[in-house]
Amino acid sequence: MAGTPDDALGWVQRADRETSLLFDVFVLGNRTRTLVVEAMRGAGLRPDEYAAYSVLFEEGPLSLTQLAMRLGLPLTTVADHVRAMTERRHLRRNANPTDGRSTLLSLTAQGLRTHRRASRSFELAHAALREHLRPSEEASAREMLRRITASTERAIAALPARRAG
Amino acid sequence: MAGTPDDALGWVQRADRETSLLFDVFVLGNRTRTLVVEAMRGAGLRPDEYAAYSVLFEEGPLSLTQLAMRLGLPLTTVADHVRAMTERRHLRRNANPTDGRSTLLSLTAQGLRTHRRASRSFELAHAALREHLRPSEEASAREMLRRITASTERAIAALPARRAG
């Protein structure tokens, strides 16, 4: 309950009362979502849908599990996306030649067109952000983001033991 | 449509077909959300609610606008949080002595108790993550996250001109 209405530092970072790295990630995620939502108004896909289309476009065909891992989302969430994409006839399923238990997902011609159209809007956001980051800064930012993501992955795995302990 | 089922690189980063920094932020946000959601099962607050309570706890009293800025969320989203918190009797509104048009929000005793209880669960996630990041790494990660957030802010401001141009 620190801070008074006159305290100009009331809503900026304070050395004595630190929020966590997780809070910084939360705020960054919120701001980038705002950027992409603004850029993608009327683009035909929401930002999270666009991410799923992009992964299939860039890296498909993929199994549901691979798609979920690549997006960093729970399987159930990705299954919802896949259902919606299938209903729009944007997704094709083929037998997985290396694993008879799973199918591989890829975009249909219609899905590819939808992705390409949405890409133009997404690129507005991407270009606007890159204008404000030096290329060297972007490279080190991406490396750092992946390091934190890898640490988060290990933290998720360690959580049950920590909760029990 | 690159990648075949046999291509081991199919769902990892590929030098020739890069996703964007925004995608890396999206994945990191998803993984940290999973970490915090797992840690906060049964904690009585969802992670995004917990963030709002935390900001008011650490930095309140705040106006609605200040709270939204600090969380990096649209005003309308934060107004929904505030409505829910008010219904739970977790939020108090007081006149803003420096601005008659706005009120200042702070947690009630009941809101503080709810925040404190949820904190114990959140700290499980925070501690698990810190175990996998060196303190020096955490400091530079936070600095980098804030630099990207600031760049995103400038990109959001530049978007209308870019869209028109």
Side-chain angles (χ1 to χ4, degrees), chain A residues 2 11 38 60 131 162-163, chain B residues 2 38 60 70 131 162-163:
Chain A
W11 54 275
E38 290 292 331
E131 203 158 90
R162 185 171 283 275
R163 193 199 298 271
Chain B
E38 289 293 331
R70 193 65 182 90
E131 203 159 89
R162 183 170 285 274
R163 193 198 297 271

Side-chain angles (χ1 to χ4, degrees), chain A residues 1-5 10-11, chain B residues 52-71 75 77-87 90-97 99 101-108 112:
Chain A
M1 302 299 293
T4 71
W11 54 275
Chain B
Y53 281 69
S54 295
V55 167
L56 288 171
F57 173 72
E58 302 280 351
E59 303 170 11
L62 296 177
S63 69
L64 181 66
T65 306
Q66 287 173 325
L67 180 60
M69 286 185 73
R70 193 65 182 90
L71 292 166
L75 215 51
T77 306
V78 178
D80 289 343
H81 282 311
V82 162
R83 197 169 309 120
M85 292 166 81
T86 305
E87 279 164 16
H90 288 179
L91 207 63
R92 175 189 300 128
R93 285 166 192 270
N94 283 106
N96 185 341
D99 176 3
R101 293 161 306 174
S102 76
T103 55
L104 292 177
L105 310 169
S106 55
L107 296 177
T108 60
L112 287 169

Side-chain angles (χ1 to χ4, degrees), chain A residues 39-97:
Chain A
M40 294 190 76
R41 263 185 217 295
L45 291 177
R46 290 197 321 266
D48 55 336
E49 294 175 329
Y50 179 72
Y53 281 69
S54 295
V55 167
L56 288 171
F57 173 71
E58 302 280 352
E59 302 169 14
L62 296 177
S63 69
L64 181 66
T65 305
Q66 287 173 324
L67 180 59
M69 286 185 73
R70 193 64 181 91
L71 292 167
L73 285 171
L75 216 51
T76 49
T77 306
V78 178
D80 289 342
H81 281 311
V82 162
R83 198 169 308 117
M85 292 167 82
T86 305
E87 280 165 14
R88 290 177 205 137
R89 301 177 186 269
H90 288 180
L91 207 63
R92 174 190 300 128
R93 286 166 193 272
N94 284 107
N96 185 342

Side-chain angles (χ1 to χ4, degrees), chain B residues 2 13 16 22 33 35 39 46-47 81-82 90 93 95 104 117 125 135-136 140 150 161:
Chain B
Q13 193 59 39
D16 57 334
L22 286 166
R33 191 172 321 109
L35 173 64
R46 290 198 321 267
H81 282 311
V82 162
H90 288 179
R93 285 166 192 270
L104 292 177
R117 204 161 42 232
S136 66
S140 58

Side-chain angles (χ1 to χ4, degrees), chain A residues 1-3 5-6 10-13 17-28 30-36 38-39 48 51 55 57-62 66 69-73 96-98 104 106 112 122 124 126-129 131-133 137-138 140-142 144-149 151-156 159 162-163, chain B residues 1-3 5-6 10-13 17-28 30-36 38-39 48 51 55 57-62 66 69-73 96-98 104 106 112 122 124 126-129 131-133 137-138 140-142 144-149 151-156 159 162-163:
Chain A
M1 302 299 293
D6 296 323
W11 54 275
V12 300
Q13 193 57 41
R17 294 276 210 141
E18 286 255 329
T19 51
S20 71
L21 171 72
L22 287 166
F23 182 78
D24 295 342
V25 172
F26 174 75
V27 173
L28 173 60
N30 292 339
R31 297 321 286 154
T32 54
R33 191 171 320 108
T34 294
L35 172 65
V36 180
E38 290 292 331
D48 55 336
V55 167
F57 173 71
E58 302 280 352
E59 302 169 14
L62 296 177
Q66 287 173 324
M69 286 185 73
R70 193 64 181 91
L71 292 167
L73 285 171
N96 185 342
T98 64
L104 292 179
S106 55
L112 287 169
F122 175 81
L124 281 177
H126 191 205
L129 179 58
E131 203 158 90
H132 296 284
L133 276 176
E137 205 171 19
E138 182 174 351
S140 59
R142 298 191 68 171
M144 176 64 77
L145 290 169
R146 288 180 203 166
R147 267 219 299 283
I148 312 174
T149 302
S151 300
T152 304
E153 214 58 74
R154 288 193 291 270
I156 292 170
L159 205 55
R162 185 171 283 275
R163 193 199 298 271
Chain B
M1 304 301 294
D6 295 323
W11 54 276
V12 300
Q13 193 59 39
R17 293 273 210 145
E18 286 254 329
T19 51
S20 71
L21 171 71
L22 286 166
F23 182 79
D24 294 342
V25 171
F26 174 75
V27 173
L28 173 60
N30 291 341
R31 298 321 287 155
T32 53
R33 191 172 321 109
T34 294
L35 173 64
V36 180
E38 289 293 331
D48 54 336
V55 167
F57 173 72
E58 302 280 351
E59 303 170 11
L62 296 177
Q66 287 173 325
M69 286 185 73
R70 193 65 182 90
L71 292 166
L73 286 171
N96 185 341
T98 64
L104 292 177
S106 55
L112 287 169
F122 175 81
L124 281 176
H126 191 205
L129 179 57
E131 203 159 89
H132 297 284
L133 278 175
E137 204 172 20
E138 183 174 353
S140 58
R142 298 191 69 171
M144 176 64 77
L145 290 169
R146 288 178 203 168
R147 268 218 299 282
I148 313 175
T149 302
S151 300
T152 304
E153 214 58 75
R154 288 193 292 270
I156 293 170
L159 205 56
R162 183 170 285 274
R163 193 198 297 271

